Amino acid sequence: MTLKFNVCVFCGSRKGNNLDFRTTAVATGTAIGKRGWRLVYGGGGVGLMNEVANSTMVAGGEVIGVIPEFLRIREAGHEGLHDLITTSGMHDRKQIMYSIANAFLILPGGVGTLDETIEIITWKQLELHKKPIILIDTNKFWSHFLKTLENSVDNGFMDKSIFNLFEIAPDVDAAIAKIETTL
Protein backbone atom coordinates (compact mmCIF):
# COMPACT_ATOMS: atom_id res chain seq x y z
CA MET A 1 0.00 0.00 0.00
CA THR A 2 1.35 3.42 -0.98
CA LEU A 3 0.99 6.21 1.54
CA LYS A 4 -0.49 9.47 0.32
CA PHE A 5 1.58 12.65 0.46
CA ASN A 6 -0.44 15.19 2.44
CA VAL A 7 0.00 18.90 1.81
CA CYS A 8 -1.52 21.20 4.40
CA VAL A 9 -2.55 24.58 2.98
CA PHE A 10 -3.18 27.61 5.16
CA CYS A 11 -5.08 30.43 3.47
CA GLY A 12 -7.87 32.93 3.89
CA SER A 13 -11.52 32.26 4.57
CA ARG A 14 -12.04 35.37 2.43
CA LYS A 15 -10.98 35.82 -1.18
CA GLY A 16 -9.07 39.06 -0.67
CA ASN A 17 -9.29 42.08 -2.91
CA ASN A 18 -7.00 40.97 -5.72
CA LEU A 19 -7.90 38.35 -8.33
CA ASP A 20 -4.30 37.05 -8.16
CA PHE A 21 -5.04 35.58 -4.72
CA ARG A 22 -7.86 33.46 -6.14
CA THR A 23 -5.71 32.48 -9.12
CA THR A 24 -2.97 31.32 -6.73
CA ALA A 25 -5.46 29.31 -4.67
CA VAL A 26 -6.82 27.55 -7.76
CA ALA A 27 -3.31 26.88 -9.09
CA THR A 28 -2.29 25.45 -5.70
CA GLY A 29 -5.23 23.05 -5.55
CA THR A 30 -4.75 22.05 -9.17
CA ALA A 31 -1.05 21.31 -8.61
CA ILE A 32 -1.83 19.20 -5.53
CA GLY A 33 -4.58 17.25 -7.30
CA LYS A 34 -2.62 16.60 -10.49
CA ARG A 35 0.20 15.05 -8.49
CA GLY A 36 -2.14 12.70 -6.66
CA TRP A 37 -1.34 14.39 -3.37
CA ARG A 38 -3.96 14.87 -0.68
CA LEU A 39 -4.95 18.36 0.47
CA VAL A 40 -5.34 18.91 4.20
CA TYR A 41 -6.91 22.25 5.09
CA GLY A 42 -9.25 24.00 7.49
CA GLY A 43 -12.45 22.56 6.01
CA GLY A 44 -14.20 25.81 5.11
CA GLY A 45 -16.42 26.21 2.07
CA VAL A 46 -15.67 29.92 1.70
CA GLY A 47 -12.91 32.19 0.47
CA LEU A 48 -9.56 30.94 -0.74
CA MET A 49 -10.08 27.80 1.34
CA ASN A 50 -12.99 26.83 -0.88
CA GLU A 51 -11.01 27.62 -4.05
CA VAL A 52 -8.09 25.39 -3.02
CA ALA A 53 -10.38 22.51 -2.00
CA ASN A 54 -12.54 22.60 -5.12
CA SER A 55 -9.62 22.91 -7.52
CA THR A 56 -7.84 19.99 -5.82
CA MET A 57 -10.91 17.78 -6.32
CA VAL A 58 -11.43 18.92 -9.92
CA ALA A 59 -7.80 17.93 -10.62
CA GLY A 60 -8.40 14.46 -9.15
CA GLY A 61 -6.95 14.91 -5.67
CA GLU A 62 -8.43 13.92 -2.33
CA VAL A 63 -9.29 16.53 0.27
CA ILE A 64 -9.42 16.27 4.05
CA GLY A 65 -10.96 19.23 5.85
CA VAL A 66 -10.54 19.73 9.58
CA ILE A 67 -12.96 22.19 11.15
CA PRO A 68 -14.18 22.96 14.67
CA GLU A 69 -17.90 22.51 15.24
CA PHE A 70 -18.51 26.23 15.79
CA LEU A 71 -16.79 27.13 12.50
CA ARG A 72 -18.56 24.40 10.56
CA ILE A 73 -21.66 26.57 10.66
CA ARG A 74 -19.93 29.95 10.54
CA GLU A 75 -17.60 29.14 7.61
CA ALA A 76 -20.10 26.85 5.92
CA GLY A 77 -18.04 23.69 6.33
CA HIS A 78 -17.41 22.19 2.90
CA GLU A 79 -19.71 19.16 2.71
CA GLY A 80 -18.40 17.81 -0.60
CA LEU A 81 -14.99 16.68 0.66
CA HIS A 82 -13.61 13.16 0.84
CA ASP A 83 -13.38 13.59 4.60
CA LEU A 84 -14.51 16.42 6.87
CA ILE A 85 -13.24 15.97 10.40
CA THR A 86 -15.12 17.98 13.02
CA THR A 87 -13.23 18.90 16.19
CA SER A 88 -14.26 20.47 19.48
CA GLY A 89 -11.97 23.48 19.10
CA MET A 90 -9.19 25.27 17.27
CA HIS A 91 -6.32 23.55 19.08
CA ASP A 92 -7.63 20.10 18.16
CA ARG A 93 -8.07 21.26 14.57
CA LYS A 94 -4.50 22.48 14.26
CA GLN A 95 -3.06 19.42 15.99
CA ILE A 96 -4.78 17.08 13.53
CA MET A 97 -3.80 19.13 10.47
CA TYR A 98 -0.19 19.42 11.63
CA SER A 99 0.14 15.75 12.49
CA ILE A 100 -1.10 14.37 9.16
CA ALA A 101 0.69 16.91 6.93
CA ASN A 102 3.95 16.10 5.15
CA ALA A 103 4.48 19.70 4.01
CA PHE A 104 2.90 23.13 4.44
CA LEU A 105 2.00 25.65 1.74
CA ILE A 106 0.88 29.03 2.97
CA LEU A 107 -1.12 31.42 0.82
CA PRO A 108 -2.35 34.92 1.68
CA GLY A 109 -4.90 35.17 4.44
CA GLY A 110 -5.96 36.91 7.60
CA VAL A 111 -5.26 36.52 11.28
CA GLY A 112 -6.12 32.79 11.27
CA THR A 113 -3.59 32.16 8.51
CA LEU A 114 -1.00 34.21 10.37
CA ASP A 115 -1.71 32.25 13.57
CA GLU A 116 -1.22 28.92 11.80
CA THR A 117 1.92 30.19 10.05
CA ILE A 118 3.58 31.44 13.22
CA GLU A 119 2.66 28.28 15.11
CA ILE A 120 3.99 25.84 12.52
CA ILE A 121 7.24 27.84 12.21
CA THR A 122 7.53 27.86 16.03
CA TRP A 123 7.00 24.09 16.14
CA LYS A 124 9.79 23.65 13.60
CA GLN A 125 12.06 25.93 15.61
CA LEU A 126 11.34 23.78 18.69
CA GLU A 127 12.17 20.70 16.58
CA LEU A 128 8.66 19.26 16.89
CA HIS A 129 8.76 18.61 13.13
CA LYS A 130 11.12 18.91 10.16
CA LYS A 131 8.51 19.35 7.45
CA PRO A 132 8.90 21.91 4.64
CA ILE A 133 7.09 25.22 5.13
CA ILE A 134 6.70 27.36 2.02
CA LEU A 135 5.03 30.75 1.86
CA ILE A 136 3.71 31.61 -1.60
CA ASP A 137 4.39 35.31 -2.02
CA THR A 138 1.57 36.35 -4.36
CA ASN A 139 1.85 40.09 -5.03
CA LYS A 140 4.55 40.30 -2.32
CA PHE A 141 1.88 39.53 0.28
CA TRP A 142 4.46 38.23 2.78
CA SER A 143 6.86 41.23 2.58
CA HIS A 144 5.48 42.92 5.71
CA PHE A 145 5.53 39.64 7.63
CA LEU A 146 9.20 39.23 6.75
CA LYS A 147 9.89 42.81 7.87
CA THR A 148 8.21 42.05 11.21
CA LEU A 149 10.48 39.03 11.67
CA GLU A 150 13.51 41.14 10.70
CA ASN A 151 12.46 43.72 13.29
CA SER A 152 12.35 41.02 15.98
CA VAL A 153 15.82 39.83 14.93
CA ASP A 154 17.16 43.42 14.94
CA ASN A 155 15.77 43.95 18.44
CA GLY A 156 17.28 40.76 19.84
CA PHE A 157 14.09 38.71 20.24
CA MET A 158 15.08 35.99 17.80
CA ASP A 159 18.06 34.80 15.85
CA LYS A 160 18.33 35.33 12.10
CA SER A 161 18.27 31.53 11.76
CA ILE A 162 14.46 31.91 11.92
CA PHE A 163 14.65 32.47 8.16
CA ASN A 164 16.07 28.95 7.69
CA LEU A 165 12.85 27.39 9.01
CA PHE A 166 10.73 28.28 5.99
CA GLU A 167 11.07 29.25 2.36
CA ILE A 168 9.47 31.93 0.23
CA ALA A 169 8.30 31.03 -3.26
CA PRO A 170 7.24 33.67 -5.80
CA ASP A 171 4.52 31.43 -7.24
CA VAL A 172 2.88 28.03 -7.05
CA ASP A 173 5.23 26.34 -9.53
CA ALA A 174 8.26 27.36 -7.47
CA ALA A 175 6.57 26.23 -4.25
CA ILE A 176 5.69 22.82 -5.69
CA ALA A 177 9.24 22.42 -7.01
CA LYS A 178 10.56 23.08 -3.49
CA ILE A 179 8.29 20.38 -2.08
CA GLU A 180 9.27 17.91 -4.78
CA THR A 181 12.94 18.25 -3.82
CA THR A 182 12.03 16.84 -0.39
CA LEU A 183 10.29 13.70 -1.70
Side-chain angles (χ1 to χ4, degrees), residues 43-80:
V46 294
L48 296 183
M49 294 169 65
N50 188 56
E51 300 292 340
V52 172
N54 287 341
S55 59
T56 299
M57 290 186 291
V58 166
E62 292 179 34
V63 179
I64 299 173
V66 185
I67 192 166
E69 181 62 39
F70 76 94
L71 282 181
R72 190 169 185 167
I73 297 164
R74 185 175 178 180
E75 290 185 355
H78 198 307
E79 300 298 331

Side-chain angles (χ1 to χ4, degrees), residues 100-120:
I100 62 177
N102 299 106
F104 300 89
L105 288 178
I106 307 171
L107 281 58
V111 71
T113 303
L114 293 172
D115 168 59
E116 292 164 337
T117 302
I118 292 291
E119 186 166 355
I120 204 62

Side-chain angles (χ1 to χ4, degrees), residues 8 19 41 77 83 87 100 114 131 156 173:
C8 184
L19 185 58
Y41 85 115
D83 194 7
T87 65
I100 62 177
L114 293 172
K131 301 169 185 177
D173 290 340

Side-chain angles (χ1 to χ4, degrees), residues 1-118:
M1 180 173 126
T2 305
L3 295 175
K4 281 278 189 182
F5 188 79
N6 297 324
V7 178
C8 184
V9 174
F10 303 144
C11 61
S13 61
R14 295 183 182 185
K15 290 185 181 180
N17 60 10
N18 187 313
L19 185 58
D20 290 343
F21 299 143
R22 180 186 179 279
T23 301
T24 296
V26 169
T28 300
T30 301
I32 291 169
K34 281 185 176 179
R35 284 165 178 76
W37 296 347
R38 184 183 294 126
L39 170 66
V40 176
Y41 85 115
V46 294
L48 296 183
M49 294 169 65
N50 188 56
E51 300 292 340
V52 172
N54 287 341
S55 59
T56 299
M57 290 186 291
V58 166
E62 292 179 34
V63 179
I64 299 173
V66 185
I67 192 166
E69 181 62 39
F70 76 94
L71 282 181
R72 190 169 185 167
I73 297 164
R74 185 175 178 180
E75 290 185 355
H78 198 307
E79 300 298 331
L81 307 178
H82 295 89
D83 194 7
L84 183 61
I85 300 167
T86 303
T87 65
S88 61
M90 294 295 285
H91 294 291
D92 297 338
R93 173 199 213 183
K94 292 191 291 185
Q95 178 64 47
I96 290 169
M97 290 191 321
Y98 299 176
S99 68
I100 62 177
N102 299 106
F104 300 89
L105 288 178
I106 307 171
L107 281 58
V111 71
T113 303
L114 293 172
D115 168 59
E116 292 164 337
T117 302
I118 292 291

